[in-house]
Amino acid sequence: MGITIALAGNPNSGKTTLFNSLTGSNQFVGNWPGVTVEKKEGKLKGNKEVTITDLPGIYSLSPYTLEEVVARNYLLNEKPDAILNIIDGTNLERNLYLSTQLLELGIPTVMAVNMMDVVEKTGDKIAIQKLSDKIGCPVYEISALKNKGVMEAAKAAIKASTSKKQEVVPYFSPEVEAAIASISQLLGEQVPVSQKRFVAIKLFERDDKISQVLNSIPDVEQIIAGEERQKDDDAESIITSDRYEYITEITSEILRKGKTEKLTTSDKIDRVVTNRWLALPIFAVVMWLVYYISVSTVGSWLTDWANDGVFGEGWSLFGMDIPGIPVLVGNALSALNVAPWLEGLILDGIVGGVGAVLGFVPQILVLFIFLAFLESCGYMARVAFIMDRIFRKFGLSGKSFIPMLIGTGCGIPGIMASRTIENERDRRMTIMTTTFIPCGAKLPIIALIAGALFNGASWVAPSAYFVGIGAIIISGIILKKTKMFAGDPAPFVMELPAYHWPRISDVLRSMWERGWSFIKKAGTIILLSTIFIWFTSNFGFVNGHFGMVEDLSDGLLAAIGRGIAWIFIPLGWGDWQAAVAAVTGLVAKENVVGTFGVLFKYAEVSEEGQEIWATLATSFTALSAYSFLVFNLLCAPCFAAMGAIRREMNNAKWFWFAVGYQTLFAYAVSLCVFQLGSLFTGGGFTIWSAVAILVVALFIYLLFRPYKQATKYEIQIPGIKKKAI
């Protein structure tokens, strides 16, 4: 029979790194809390009978956030055979709080003190055997990053799994221990013996997730009330205080700090990068460099090679001319003498559409390398800390920025990462705004517009990122002043990990996983989409007969596009090709580029070798192109991300409100960009200019109107109705 071992620990304690070491999994590790938002499973290397479950990083088993709910429900209901509790050796006191709760579950537990290599560098000493004696479970030293001691800890957990239950060392005050024992007796057979202590403590804390048991045990309330009177404090505070007294006693005996008082390298770096005045400019410069290198220099060179060579006429290698994929496919089709319509489908539909998207893979891979490095080295955790200062001013915490950081790769895990936010209102607002950040699927659109309309200008790609940041901030300020989202932001507690050079394998793994996800989408969703686009654009009704058309403007897609193009005329791109591209982008954002690849053909269109991008440039002005870019960055995300929003909202009305808000907000911003831009560049004043001015005025009013919720409080006086003050 198989054995299940659960990995449990604080966020950023090294759980997922340990999970990778034990299972060989390709799960990527981000160096900030919130990367793992649901349990993941893998088989132990060398022993397929042992399943390792990686639970979300949590600070306690008092479920304030969805990730804590996932972890607690799993431990209580799934009942793993053993728990491997990962402890950050550089922050013992904080991590041991969760350890005390895990031991109360009655599940055999082994503790693994991680990051011992860092502990040794600082000159600190941890008495492992004394810690084991004090805490009441086996304790092992490990370094998950360097793969030291991990298998020994896993073997100890396997051995512990044969135990029937975990013996708990009593550590609450004698009075509280007596009260917990009394509550345990009152539970009778309603709770399994192994969980009685845990449930009794939760009842003592008045945990609302277990409080329904109180209805059948009236004596529990009397016990709790008596202890509260005796201690002159509320029940939860009594338990918390006792826990920390116990933890402080342990750490004072087992931890010997190094004598050096010098600032660490991380502290010195943080004095600069988290400085009140320098932090944001440094962040802006870092992101500008990331996008500049990814889109305008190294990434651009590689993409030009892919577009002109691999998916174009070909390239030269060591003096040999190697034909591109369209040429090779075209020659093969000619040799096979296939029907013209099939040749058009394969060359213009599949190769043209999918090739137009895959041509941007080099830029995407370069971007993902930079993002993986920033995540792994520890800088992105500082960004969350920095953004907390800004976000808190409009009612959100830095926790809301973590999903947005994750969303730079893909919006779906970003939306799922909102589970780390305990406040329901903040969580919903984060879900609504996370996809404003450009994800990997939007990068081809950014690169296309930057290259075709702005001659590769270095400011276009970074500006797209900061348009997303600006949209989040503006939305946050506006929404937080409504009754639906009013309230104080959730507290933001996070340890800043020490800076370190990430392993090259981790960075490349992250790049490949995100890039491969993009490529798979090109081979499935985008492939089907481009086939549909080719068919509907090349077939239509002419003179009352349905068949293949010579002019794409006579096709079914053109008819559909002309039916909706009027909606986008005020935004500056009211032709049917752009309208269709924007709509197909709802299926997958990469489809915007794939649609243009089909509609403007991928083959050469002039004797000078002018290709699709130059042809596209003739359909837009600089203003209308940037308006098109802004709309596609901010409007409702792809269908898969919409599905994630629907699941996380768990409410149809909230889902439609979120998608409607995103689309309306994108339309309003895009309208202002084009109309006001035209007005300031001599385009003349029109009725739409007036509408754009009114929209800006409305934005300003919503941003600066008084925040009534912040200045009005309600008090309840006995015998008198509630009164606002």
Side-chain angles (χ1 to χ4, degrees):
M1 189 173 178
I3 296 173
T4 301
I5 298 174
L7 301 185
N10 282 190
N12 216 46
S13 60
K15 283 187 313 78
T16 309
T17 305
L18 178 60
F19 179 73
N20 289 343
S21 296
L22 294 176
T23 65
S25 167
N26 289 327
Q27 177 63 42
F28 173 63
V29 186
N31 200 6
W32 75 80
V35 173
T36 306
V37 291
E38 56 186 9
K39 67 183 180 74
K40 295 179 173 64
E41 294 184 346
K43 296 295 184 181
L44 180 66
K45 287 190 293 187
N47 190 343
K48 300 304 180 184
E49 295 298 314
V50 179
T51 299
I52 307 294
T53 301
D54 181 22
L55 298 177
I58 56 175
Y59 289 111
S60 77
L61 290 178
S62 302
Y64 296 109
T65 68
L66 284 179
E67 57 184 353
E68 289 173 343
V69 171
V70 168
R72 185 163 111 169
N73 287 349
Y74 176 81
L75 293 172
L76 288 176
N77 301 328
E78 301 296 328
K79 299 181 180 63
D81 297 294
I83 297 173
L84 187 53
N85 176 211
I86 297 85
I87 296 292
D88 178 357
T90 65
N91 200 346
L92 278 177
E93 191 163 353
R94 175 68 173 168
N95 283 245
L96 285 174
Y97 189 91
L98 174 64
S99 301
T100 60
Q101 293 182 314
L102 292 174
L103 291 168
E104 290 159 2
L105 290 169
I107 301 172
T109 301
V110 172
M111 184 180 294
V113 183
N114 193 20
M115 305 185 192
M116 288 302 296
D117 53 326
V118 179
V119 173
E120 292 170 2
K121 281 184 180 180
T122 60
D124 294 347
K125 301 289 184 182
I126 299 175
I128 296 297
Q129 185 56 51
K130 186 176 286 188
L131 174 60
S132 177
D133 295 338
K134 285 283 184 181
I135 204 76
C137 73
V139 181
Y140 287 79
E141 296 183 4
I142 70 167
S143 174
L145 189 64
K146 297 186 176 181
N147 203 28
K148 291 182 178 179
V150 296
M151 290 308 297
E152 288 81 356
K155 289 176 182 177
I158 295 171
K159 183 179 179 181
S161 68
T162 58
S163 305
K164 291 185 178 180
K165 64 174 290 186
Q166 175 71 50
E167 296 297 333
V168 180
V169 176
Y171 50 80
F172 293 117
S173 65
E175 298 83 6
V176 173
E177 284 288 351
I180 291 170
S182 298
I183 295 171
S184 296
Q185 289 179 355
L186 291 172
L187 289 173
E189 297 181 358
Q190 297 182 62
V191 177
V193 174
S194 61
Q195 294 182 7
K196 277 191 177 181
R197 179 176 174 84
F198 177 78
V199 174
I201 293 170
K202 286 299 167 187
L203 286 174
F204 191 100
E205 289 180 316
R206 299 180 186 271
D207 188 325
D208 61 356
K209 299 294 189 300
I210 297 182
S211 60
Q212 62 266 23
V213 181
L214 290 173
N215 297 330
S216 57
I217 314 175
D219 291 343
V220 171
E221 281 287 6
Q222 297 174 13
I223 294 171
I224 296 170
E227 289 302 318
E228 289 177 330
R229 284 194 300 271
Q230 183 176 339
K231 294 277 187 175
D232 194 24
D233 206 346
D234 67 273
E236 187 173 7
S237 296
I238 292 171
I239 292 291
T240 302
S241 177
D242 278 11
R243 283 193 200 281
Y244 273 118
E245 286 180 13
Y246 172 62
I247 292 167
T248 301
E249 178 189 341
I250 290 178
T251 52
S252 65
E253 292 188 29
I254 62 120
L255 178 63
R256 292 290 177 267
K257 302 291 289 184
K259 294 181 179 180
T260 176
E261 296 293 334
K262 293 181 180 179
L263 288 175
T264 65
T265 303
S266 291
D267 292 334
K268 292 175 182 177
I269 296 172
D270 281 340
R271 282 191 166 188
V272 178
V273 300
T274 63
N275 179 275
R276 181 175 295 275
W277 306 108
L278 296 176
L280 285 177
I282 289 172
F283 174 56
V285 170
V286 168
M287 296 314 298
W288 179 83
L289 281 172
V290 166
Y291 277 89
Y292 175 68
I293 296 173
S294 301
V295 177
S296 300
T297 54
V298 176
S300 179
W301 302 333
L302 294 173
T303 291
D304 287 345
W305 169 78
N307 282 330
D308 298 337
V310 178
F311 296 104
E313 290 299 302
W315 71 98
S316 296
L317 181 65
F318 302 119
M320 295 185 297
D321 290 331
I322 301 175
I325 290 176
V327 176
L328 290 173
V329 173
N331 292 339
L333 294 175
S334 297
L336 294 172
N337 196 27
V338 301
W341 69 267
L342 181 57
E343 182 177 356
L345 169 61
I346 296 173
L347 279 178
D348 299 332
I350 297 174
V351 176
V354 176
V357 175
L358 291 179
F360 289 99
V361 166
Q363 284 177 318
I364 291 170
L365 295 180
V366 173
L367 174 65
F368 286 165
I369 283 178
F370 278 107
L371 293 177
F373 177 82
L374 293 175
E375 293 164 5
S376 299
C377 74
Y379 178 68
M380 283 304 195
R382 272 72 182 178
V383 174
F385 169 74
I386 293 163
M387 296 306 294
D388 181 62
R389 299 174 190 167
I390 299 174
F391 277 35
R392 194 159 292 278
K393 291 180 180 178
F394 60 81
L396 286 177
S397 75
K399 272 193 173 182
S400 295
F401 195 67
I402 292 171
M404 296 162 194
L405 290 174
I406 297 172
T408 54
C410 177
I412 297 169
I415 292 165
M416 292 172 62
S418 65
R419 297 175 184 178
T420 62
I421 302 168
E422 55 266 34
N423 186 298
E424 186 68 16
R425 294 185 300 268
D426 291 356
R427 197 173 71 85
R428 283 173 173 165
M429 192 193 302
T430 302
I431 292 170
M432 287 175 58
T433 56
T434 290
T435 55
F436 285 155
I437 291 287
C439 63
K442 294 176 183 177
L443 188 65
I445 308 174
I446 298 169
L448 173 63
I449 298 299
L453 278 302
F454 294 95
N455 198 28
S458 62
W459 62 270
V460 177
S463 74
Y465 185 85
F466 291 109
V467 162
I469 295 287
I472 292 166
I473 292 174
I474 291 171
S475 295
I477 296 173
I478 291 173
L479 293 173
K480 202 66 179 179
K481 292 180 179 180
T482 64
K483 290 183 179 180
M484 293 186 296
F485 296 99
D488 293 330
F492 182 47
V493 179
M494 180 178 71
E495 292 98 15
L496 296 180
Y499 288 103
H500 68 267
W501 286 101
R503 291 187 297 189
I504 295 176
S505 59
D506 283 344
V507 173
L508 293 179
R509 179 190 299 151
S510 172
M511 175 207 70
W512 176 246
E513 284 181 353
R514 291 172 170 177
W516 180 240
S517 176
F518 179 89
I519 294 169
K520 283 193 294 185
K521 195 184 292 185
T524 53
I525 297 172
I526 298 168
L527 173 63
L528 295 175
S529 299
T530 53
I531 291 174
F532 172 79
I533 293 164
W534 178 86
F535 177 81
T536 53
S537 61
N538 282 274
F539 285 81
F541 291 93
V542 179
N543 299 325
H545 298 283
F546 180 79
M548 199 166 184
V549 298
E550 294 183 3
D551 189 341
L552 296 186
S553 61
D554 294 327
L556 293 173
L557 195 63
I560 296 170
R562 283 190 291 268
I564 61 173
W566 60 272
I567 299 172
F568 304 107
I569 290 175
L571 311 187
W573 38 280
D575 60 352
W576 69 268
Q577 292 97 331
V580 165
V583 173
T584 58
L586 295 176
V587 178
K589 288 301 176 183
E590 304 93 324
N591 269 342
V592 173
V593 176
T595 300
F596 284 138
V598 175
L599 297 181
F600 289 108
K601 304 291 187 183
Y602 203 81
E604 294 184 351
V605 296
S606 73
E607 293 179 0
E608 291 78 23
Q610 189 180 34
E611 295 187 357
I612 178 177
W613 315 135
T615 308
L616 178 65
T618 63
S619 299
F620 289 92
T621 64
L623 267 177
S624 64
Y626 201 78
S627 167
F628 179 82
L629 174 62
V630 167
F631 181 83
N632 282 279
L633 289 176
L634 303 181
C635 76
C638 65
F639 282 174
M642 282 193 234
I645 292 175
R646 177 67 180 84
R647 288 193 303 272
E648 296 303 316
M649 287 292 193
N650 198 28
N651 183 294
K653 291 181 180 178
W654 273 105
F655 164 72
W656 288 112
F657 176 76
V659 171
Y661 174 81
Q662 291 167 335
T663 305
L664 184 62
F665 184 84
Y667 193 94
V669 175
S670 184
L671 173 74
C672 293
V673 167
F674 179 73
Q675 294 298 335
L676 297 183
S678 297
L679 184 62
F680 294 141
T681 55
F685 188 87
T686 66
I687 185 65
W688 286 111
S689 303
V691 172
I693 292 171
L694 288 175
V695 170
V696 172
L698 178 62
F699 272 130
I700 293 173
Y701 167 72
L702 293 175
L703 287 170
F704 293 101
R705 70 181 177 133
Y707 184 19
K708 296 180 181 179
Q709 296 289 336
T711 57
K712 227 180 230 189
Y713 301 89
E714 288 188 337
I715 60 172
Q716 176 72 56
I717 302 174
I720 302 176
K721 292 182 178 180
K722 288 183 180 179
K723 182 180 179 181
I725 60 172

